[in-house]
């Protein structure tokens, strides 16, 4: 705590105005004293000697005779070994321990350490005394789950330091001193395995920022082939309620070609978050066969929690992602849902009496969303290692309206748009990503020229389908009807995936290329069929053969035989 004290002069929902005497910084953390409790808050605006604070707790009982103590610290998270497998709230309180302490009805004003201070870690030094180190450089390692956790020089250390001493290999607690650094002025600084870092300040301890040009394989055909995501890239998943946003995130987190998965549930309904908390420990990691939680961190703030915590959960998640990126790992951050975060911003903006923008969202909505997504990226670290943070955010527009401000602000900054459609989810076509409206700026696992031609078939098929709703099947020419059936074939056998089939649920890139080549060849053929009943029967049979092919193990005799059966079938009707 600092010597700066304050007194509450006004309360407006979860925002309090405080008159202070001394020095106060923007984003500084303070505690409001009420009923023997200390309620955590953050300074979000300063006018003269009055500061507005957003309180991360229920503000019942706060009155004008309450005092405020300022800490001098910005809103920060503690980073170090022991983060993986944890479930935190937006302020990095471990929720299982909080439940043990307070019961299932969480008390306000209770803040617990983010990391276990008593656990012993097997430390191994990697730097020798006399080495020149900078912020983010490793002095040693400890094993954490399936990874080697690098103990880094805190990011607050500016300039070059000389390693004076480092502990020998052995077991230490996270707050034990494990190294001493000497700065350029000759002052010594002790460091331990953990340190704190402000959540709203991006970590930039890397040598070079690179272009995201490597696909992040999700094993979802529709994404990897048609609307790919790059490692270090950004994408958004807008869609109406019940369209499958959360399930798609679960599938992505399980199969994505990344090391660490961080889920920030910022304002979603408690039921969906409970589903995430109960299902993730049961999901098996395809890499290790163990629980997926061993390489996952969940930041949990439901819609029933104070709105200010939604903003904190987003920034907490991306800060933890940056920490693991500094170890040379590839990290996937899934934010669900940024619409709830934007609604929290709108609420706080209204209480600050700021001039509203479109639909009463703050005028700085676009810049705030852009600043969040810009913390993604692919980088080259100082030791030459390539690492990345990929950010995927879901958007929950009211009524599925993609023209609303949050969706539009997000589309301006992301590299891929996976728009979920109500009509596809109602038709049980999963994943329910709209194949015509969605787009991506990244390169996928299949040649993009062939993808554009295949999408052209799909778009033409959609046009014929719309026409058929007016003139009927009888008024459609056989050529147009074949185009329509080709689009339906592409949709049924490639864009949709059976998550209940252990083989089809996750499709490797090599298999995607093989299947797409065969399907592309079938789509580009001209068929000598004129009778619509025969056309329909032919494509129904071809569709079933493709679906049977999905159920065979890749590159087995059964796989090869089924592929040949498909080839013989469509070639029997093809002209060229």
């Amino acid at each position: 705590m600092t010597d700066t004290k304050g007194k509450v002069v006004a309360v407006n929902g979860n925002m309090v105005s405080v008159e202070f005497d001394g020095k106060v910084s923007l984003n500084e953390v303070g505690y409001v004293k009420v009923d023997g409790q200390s309620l955590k808050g953050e300074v979000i605006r300063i006018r003269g000697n009055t500061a507005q604070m957003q309180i991360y707790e229920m503000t019942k009982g706060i009155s004008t005779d309450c005092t405020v103590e300022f800490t001098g610290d910005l809103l920060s998270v503690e980073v170090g070994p022991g983060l993986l497998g944890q479930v935190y709230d937006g302020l990095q309180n471990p929720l299982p321990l909080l439940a043990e302490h307070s019961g299932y009805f969480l008390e306000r004003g209770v803040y617990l350490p983010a990391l276990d201070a008593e656990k012993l870690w097997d430390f191994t030094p990697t730097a020798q005394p006399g080495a020149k180190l900078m912020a983010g450089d490793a002095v040693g390692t400890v094993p954490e789950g399936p990874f080697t956790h690098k103990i880094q020089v805190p990011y607050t250390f500016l300039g070059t330091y000389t390693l004076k001493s480092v502990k020998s290999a052995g077991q230490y607690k996270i707050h034990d001193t494990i190294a001493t650094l000497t700065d350029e002025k000759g002052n010594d600084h002790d460091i331990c395995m953990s340190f704190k870092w402000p959540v709203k300040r991006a970590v930039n301890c890397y040598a070079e920022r690179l272009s995201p040009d490597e696909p992040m394989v999700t094993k979802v055909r529709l994404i990897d082939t048609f609307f790919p995501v790059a490692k270090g890239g950004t994408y958004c998943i807008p869609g109406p309620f019940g369209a499958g946003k959360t399930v798609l995130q679960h599938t992505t987190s399980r199969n994505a070609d990344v090391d660490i998965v961080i889920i920030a549930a910022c304002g979603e309904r408690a039921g969906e978050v409970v589903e995430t908390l109960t299902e993730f420990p049961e999901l098996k990691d395809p890499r290790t066969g163990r629980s997926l939680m061993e390489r996952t961190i969940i930041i949990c703030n439901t819609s029933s929690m104070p709105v200010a915590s939604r903003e904190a959960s987003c920034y907490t998640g991306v800060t933890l992602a940056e920490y693991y990126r500094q170890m040379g790992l590839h990290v996937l951050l899934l934010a669900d849902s940024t619409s709830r975060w934007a609604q929290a911003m709108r609420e706080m903006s209204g209480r600050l009496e700021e001039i509203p923008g479109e639909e009463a969202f703050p005028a700085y909505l676009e810049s705030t969303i852009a600043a969040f997504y810009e913390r993604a990226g692919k980088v080259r670290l100082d030791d030459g290692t390539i690492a990345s943070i990929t950010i995927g955010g879901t958007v929950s527009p009211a009524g599925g309206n993609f023209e609303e401000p949050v969706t539009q602000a997000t589309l301006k900054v992301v590299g891929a748009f996976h728009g979920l459609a109500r009509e596809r989810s109602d038709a049980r076509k999963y994943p329910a990503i709209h194949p015509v409206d969605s787009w991506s700026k990244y390169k996928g696992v299949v040649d993009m020229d062939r993808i554009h031609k295949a999408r052209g078939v799909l778009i033409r098929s959609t046009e014929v389908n719309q026409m058929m709703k007016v003139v009927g099947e009888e008024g459609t020419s056989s050529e147009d009807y074949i185009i329509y059936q080709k689009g339906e074939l592409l949709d049924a056998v490639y864009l949709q995936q059976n998550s209940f089939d252990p083989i089809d649920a996750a499709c490797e890139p090599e298999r995607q290329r093989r299947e797409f080549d065969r399907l592309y060849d079938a789509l580009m053929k001209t068929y000598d069929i004129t009778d619509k009943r025969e056309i329909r029967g032919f494509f129904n049979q071809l569709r079933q053969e493709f679906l049977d092919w999905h159920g065979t193990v890749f590159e087995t005799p059964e796989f090869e035989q089924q592929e040949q059966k498909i080839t013989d079938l469509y070639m029997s009707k093809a002209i060229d």
Side-chain angles (χ1 to χ4, degrees):
M1 297 292 178
T2 65
D3 295 332
T4 303
K5 307 295 181 183
K7 182 181 179 181
V8 175
V9 294
V11 182
N12 183 2
N14 68 320
M15 188 192 77
V16 300
S17 297
V18 180
E19 285 188 354
F20 61 89
D21 183 18
K23 295 181 179 179
V24 171
S25 302
L26 193 65
N27 302 127
E28 183 176 345
V29 172
Y31 291 90
V32 179
K33 303 293 184 177
V34 55
D35 298 332
Q37 298 173 321
S38 298
L39 306 186
K40 192 172 186 177
E42 177 191 7
V43 176
I44 55 176
R45 187 169 71 180
I46 301 174
R47 296 286 174 86
N49 67 335
T50 301
Q52 273 78 41
M53 297 178 61
Q54 61 178 2
I55 307 302
Y56 293 115
E57 305 279 6
M58 299 299 181
T59 55
K60 181 181 179 180
I62 297 180
S63 61
T64 53
D65 59 351
C66 294
T67 59
V68 180
E69 294 182 354
F70 293 93
T71 63
D73 297 324
L74 303 182
L75 184 65
S76 304
V77 294
E78 185 177 10
V79 292
L83 291 169
L84 294 182
Q86 295 289 345
V87 180
Y88 295 113
D89 67 4
L91 301 178
Q92 212 190 6
N93 292 304
L95 288 177
L97 295 181
L98 208 58
E100 292 179 10
H101 182 277
S102 306
Y104 290 104
F105 296 96
L106 302 181
E107 298 177 14
R108 64 177 184 172
V110 178
Y111 309 105
L112 300 179
L115 300 174
D116 186 353
E118 299 303 317
K119 183 176 181 179
L120 293 173
W121 295 89
D122 294 321
F123 175 77
T124 303
T126 56
Q128 300 299 322
K132 300 295 183 181
L133 301 175
M134 300 177 66
D137 291 342
V139 298
T141 62
V142 299
E144 183 186 15
F147 303 104
T148 299
H149 189 114
K150 294 182 180 179
I151 305 302
Q152 306 170 49
V153 177
Y155 308 144
T156 52
F157 282 39
L158 304 179
T160 303
Y161 292 76
T162 302
L163 182 60
K164 183 177 181 179
S165 64
V166 61
K167 289 290 182 70
S168 58
Q171 292 189 329
Y172 303 94
K173 299 178 181 179
I174 59 170
H175 293 143
D176 292 341
T177 299
I178 51 98
T180 301
L181 303 176
T182 304
D183 62 20
E184 296 170 341
K185 296 182 180 180
N187 300 318
D188 290 342
H189 304 269
D190 293 333
I191 64 172
C192 59
M193 295 189 197
S194 68
F195 60 91
K196 292 189 175 182
W197 181 254
V199 296
K200 294 185 179 178
R201 181 178 171 187
V203 179
N204 58 357
C205 304
Y206 49 81
E208 184 182 8
R209 194 176 178 94
L210 306 174
S211 175
D213 53 6
E214 179 186 355
M216 183 192 75
V217 176
T218 65
K219 298 182 183 179
V220 178
R221 288 191 295 265
L222 179 54
I223 295 177
D224 293 344
T225 302
F226 284 85
F227 312 113
V229 178
K231 287 183 179 178
T234 55
Y235 68 101
C236 69
I237 310 175
F241 171 72
K245 296 188 294 295
T246 304
V247 174
L248 183 57
Q249 284 197 335
H250 286 193
T251 304
T252 303
S253 60
R254 182 179 182 180
N255 296 317
D257 182 23
V258 295
D259 300 307
I260 305 291
V261 177
I262 299 177
I263 297 177
C266 43
E268 276 301 290
R269 287 169 292 275
E272 291 192 15
V273 178
V274 168
E275 182 181 335
T276 300
L277 296 178
T278 55
E279 286 191 2
F280 257 72
E282 302 299 325
L283 292 178
K284 298 298 182 183
D285 187 349
R287 297 181 178 184
T288 63
R290 300 161 66 98
S291 172
L292 188 63
M293 278 299 294
E294 290 188 358
R295 60 183 182 95
T296 301
I297 305 173
I298 298 178
I299 313 296
C300 171
N301 269 97
T302 67
S303 56
S304 57
M305 295 181 177
V307 294
S309 299
R310 301 177 189 179
E311 179 188 35
S313 62
C314 284
Y315 287 113
T316 296
V318 74
T319 304
L320 297 182
E322 289 174 331
Y323 176 66
Y324 279 99
R325 180 201 63 192
Q326 291 301 122
M327 300 181 196
L329 300 176
H330 297 283
V331 186
L332 172 63
L333 171 62
L334 300 172
D336 186 17
S337 132
T338 54
S339 291
R340 314 285 187 235
W341 169 33
Q343 290 166 7
M345 280 194 287
R346 177 169 61 183
E347 187 170 326
M348 292 307 302
S349 177
R351 288 173 179 166
L352 289 170
E353 299 180 355
E354 296 172 335
I355 298 175
E358 187 179 356
E359 293 190 17
F361 285 104
Y364 49 81
L365 174 69
E366 289 188 8
S367 60
T368 303
I369 290 178
F372 171 70
Y373 280 100
E374 284 170 359
R375 292 176 71 166
K378 180 180 176 182
V379 300
R380 178 182 290 110
L381 302 178
D382 293 331
D383 62 359
T385 305
I386 304 298
S388 68
I389 297 175
T390 307
I391 297 182
T394 66
V395 188
S396 306
N401 175 27
F402 291 173
E403 300 302 318
E404 56 90 36
V406 181
T407 305
Q408 290 300 309
T410 304
L411 290 180
K412 292 179 181 178
V413 296
V414 297
F417 165 62
H418 300 163
L420 302 185
R422 167 66 68 189
E423 60 269 20
R424 289 186 67 82
S425 64
D426 288 346
R428 300 295 185 265
K429 295 180 178 181
Y430 293 111
I433 298 173
H434 199 290
V436 176
D437 294 342
S438 302
W439 50 262
S440 175
K441 300 177 183 177
Y442 304 119
K443 292 182 179 179
V445 299
V446 178
D447 180 65
M448 297 308 294
D449 290 337
R450 307 180 97 193
I451 294 300
H452 291 320
K453 291 180 181 179
R455 283 195 74 195
V457 172
L458 194 64
I459 293 171
R460 177 65 182 138
S461 172
T462 303
E463 294 172 350
V464 174
N465 186 28
Q466 296 298 323
M467 180 184 68
M468 286 173 57
K469 292 179 180 179
V470 179
V471 301
E473 186 177 305
E474 299 78 8
T476 307
S477 66
S478 58
E479 291 80 5
D480 284 347
Y481 193 64
I482 289 176
I483 289 290
Y484 164 70
Q485 289 291 351
K486 285 182 176 180
E488 290 294 297
L489 176 68
L490 172 60
D491 191 350
V493 307
Y494 202 85
L495 305 187
Q496 300 175 46
Q497 242 169 295
N498 184 2
S499 61
F500 294 102
D501 188 309
I503 298 176
D504 195 36
C507 192
E508 297 285 350
E510 296 79 10
R511 180 165 189 151
Q512 290 186 40
R513 284 189 282 267
R514 182 83 167 266
E515 291 184 355
F516 183 80
D517 286 346
R518 186 57 51 220
L519 178 61
Y520 179 82
D521 192 35
L523 293 176
M524 295 299 114
K525 294 295 183 184
T526 302
Y527 295 102
D528 185 20
I529 321 174
T530 56
D531 181 70
K532 292 188 176 64
R533 175 178 293 183
E534 186 179 356
I535 293 172
R536 184 165 55 249
F538 166 72
F539 277 98
N540 284 341
Q541 184 181 356
L542 188 58
R543 180 186 300 115
Q544 188 58 51
E545 296 296 347
F546 268 105
L547 294 178
D548 291 343
W549 193 28
H550 291 331
T552 60
V553 179
F554 186 52
E555 292 185 333
T556 60
E558 293 79 11
F559 181 88
E560 307 292 345
Q561 291 171 8
Q562 187 64 24
E563 182 182 19
Q564 187 60 48
K565 187 176 180 181
I566 291 171
T567 304
D568 294 341
L569 176 59
Y570 71 74
M571 288 302 294
S572 66
K573 301 291 184 179
I575 297 176
D576 50 3

